[in-house]
Amino acid sequence: MTDYASSLSARLRSRWLLVAVVAIIVIFGLYYPVGMLVVHKVDDNLDYQLAPGEVTPGGSRAVAMAASLIQREVDHNGWVANDPFFLPGSMLDNMPNYQLGMIHALGRFAFEMVDQIGRTRGSSQTDSDLQEAAGLLQYSGTKWIFDFSTSLLPTAKSEDQYRKARRALLNYDRRLAAGQAVFERRADNLLSTLDRISLDVGSASAAIDRQIHEGSGQWIDTQSDDVFYSVKGQAYAYYMLLRELREDYANIVRDRELGTAWDQMLASFAAASDLEPLIVYNGKPDAMVLPNHLASMGFYLLRARTQISEISNILLK
């Protein structure tokens, strides 16, 4: 009787162990794939508009758009670039690189606001809110509550820093509307800002060129989609900012007859932002079968950069 009870107990333990193992496999087999599908969103809506409450009369539409994009990616879509391993977002690849690319472009724009647009000439004092926003947008987008590579203590999350940057941008915009901040609407300020954006676009195209050189023709290039979506995020953010910056400089665009050239520049950024292949291939540039999506992205970037140069040449006259 004792032997029978022991045998039955052993069989029950084995059965429960098998059930537990199967349950773990099913849970994690569904948790990550389903969670990734739920979380994943590359938000490249080119028709995205500022809500009426986000536009401050007398403020800057470009600054308002920068603040709106931060809120959209951090609070509405959810910031995934710093998700820890136990969250499904940690397994995503394209969305985090896209978001990081957007923040890179927004950070560059914030620096231009500090150096060029948000101050009177180069000898005046920089705006404290713009300076704070520019600094916070340089914060790494992959920082979670803990970063054991630097400290065992909790650290500031990326989302928290970007929210602070958004608040600083909005505070600047409110002061601008009240006549307590500077937004230089001169042609030379616009020219300098466009030139810096052009340099940043050139840097992005160089990253594409390097990846094509190093990885084209490989059967599996695990880095090509990272570069592709990072540049796509930059192109999208610049499209949105430049679309609104046109309204901020409406008088100059009209007086210098920049409308057509500006539309063409925006169209190139829109085309780069709109590329969304099912799988990013880094085939040889002269391949007959497998395409090279990085080369396609690079083409539109170079067009956009050329069109920025055309606008700059008109502003110089």
Side-chain angles (χ1 to χ4, degrees):
M1 186 70 179
T2 304
D3 293 341
Y4 174 77
S6 299
S7 175
L8 178 61
S9 177
R11 287 200 299 271
L12 287 174
R13 285 197 301 269
S14 298
R15 182 172 298 176
W16 279 112
L17 179 61
L18 178 61
V19 170
V21 170
V22 171
I24 291 173
I25 292 174
V26 170
I27 289 172
F28 281 94
L30 293 175
Y31 173 69
Y32 280 104
V34 174
M36 289 166 65
L37 288 173
V38 171
V39 171
H40 178 73
K41 185 177 184 180
V42 175
D43 196 342
D44 55 2
N45 178 17
L46 295 172
D47 295 325
Y48 181 73
Q49 299 289 336
L50 291 168
E54 293 179 307
V55 181
T56 305
S60 163
R61 291 186 62 90
V63 171
M65 177 57 73
S68 182
L69 289 175
I70 293 171
Q71 184 181 45
R72 189 190 77 178
E73 294 304 315
V74 171
D75 295 322
H76 297 167
N77 294 338
W79 189 260
V80 299
N82 64 344
D83 277 359
F85 70 93
F86 53 81
L87 292 179
S90 64
M91 305 300 292
L92 292 174
D93 194 25
N94 298 340
M95 181 181 177
N97 281 293
Y98 179 76
Q99 290 183 322
L100 291 170
M102 285 185 62
I103 289 295
H104 170 86
L106 295 176
R108 166 53 60 189
F109 170 72
F111 266 126
E112 294 315 305
M113 288 296 303
V114 173
D115 289 341
Q116 299 294 332
I117 299 176
R119 61 194 299 193
T120 304
R121 302 294 179 181
S123 59
S124 64
Q125 185 177 4
T126 59
D127 187 275
S128 58
D129 283 320
L130 291 177
Q131 197 163 20
E132 181 182 8
L136 290 169
L137 289 172
Q138 301 309 305
Y139 193 77
S140 171
T142 59
K143 297 292 184 182
W144 187 53
I145 298 173
F146 293 99
D147 182 9
F148 296 119
S149 64
T150 58
S151 173
L152 297 177
L153 299 176
T155 187
K157 293 195 301 181
S158 304
E159 301 98 311
D160 294 338
Q161 302 297 79
Y162 298 154
R163 290 187 185 103
K164 290 179 183 177
R166 175 180 175 270
R167 288 195 292 270
L169 289 172
L170 292 177
N171 193 45
Y172 161 80
D173 209 34
R174 283 190 290 269
R175 292 192 297 108
L176 177 62
Q180 300 170 356
V182 175
F183 188 96
E184 286 291 351
R185 301 177 191 269
R186 301 193 316 270
D188 59 322
N189 293 86
L190 177 59
L191 173 62
S192 298
T193 300
L194 290 175
D195 285 346
R196 297 290 183 86
I197 291 175
S198 178
L199 289 174
D200 200 37
V201 171
S203 177
S205 65
I208 288 176
D209 179 68
R210 182 170 58 252
Q211 189 60 38
I212 292 175
H213 177 73
E214 295 177 355
S216 66
Q218 297 181 11
W219 281 105
I220 299 177
D221 181 6
T222 59
Q223 299 299 313
S224 61
D225 59 336
D226 296 349
V227 175
F228 180 90
Y229 276 94
S230 174
V231 174
K232 176 183 168 78
Q234 292 178 52
Y236 177 80
Y238 279 135
Y239 171 83
M240 302 304 293
L241 293 171
L242 288 167
R243 190 188 71 188
E244 302 305 324
L245 203 62
R246 174 179 181 163
E247 301 302 317
D248 287 337
Y249 285 90
N251 290 337
I252 290 178
V253 172
R254 183 190 63 248
D255 294 344
R256 298 295 184 92
E257 299 181 349
L258 295 173
T260 300
W262 204 283
D263 287 340
Q264 292 173 347
M265 174 187 65
L266 289 178
S268 294
F269 277 115
S273 306
D274 207 34
L275 291 174
E276 193 171 4
L278 183 62
I279 299 175
V280 176
Y281 282 110
N282 187 14
K284 291 184 178 180
D286 60 350
M288 295 182 62
V289 179
L290 293 179
N292 192 306
H293 295 115
L294 291 175
S296 300
M297 177 69 76
F299 167 76
Y300 289 116
L301 284 186
L302 289 177
R303 275 187 59 83
R305 194 179 186 198
T306 299
Q307 286 149 352
I308 291 175
S309 296
E310 291 173 354
I311 294 173
S312 296
N313 288 335
I314 296 173
L315 290 172
L316 283 170
K317 295 178 181 177

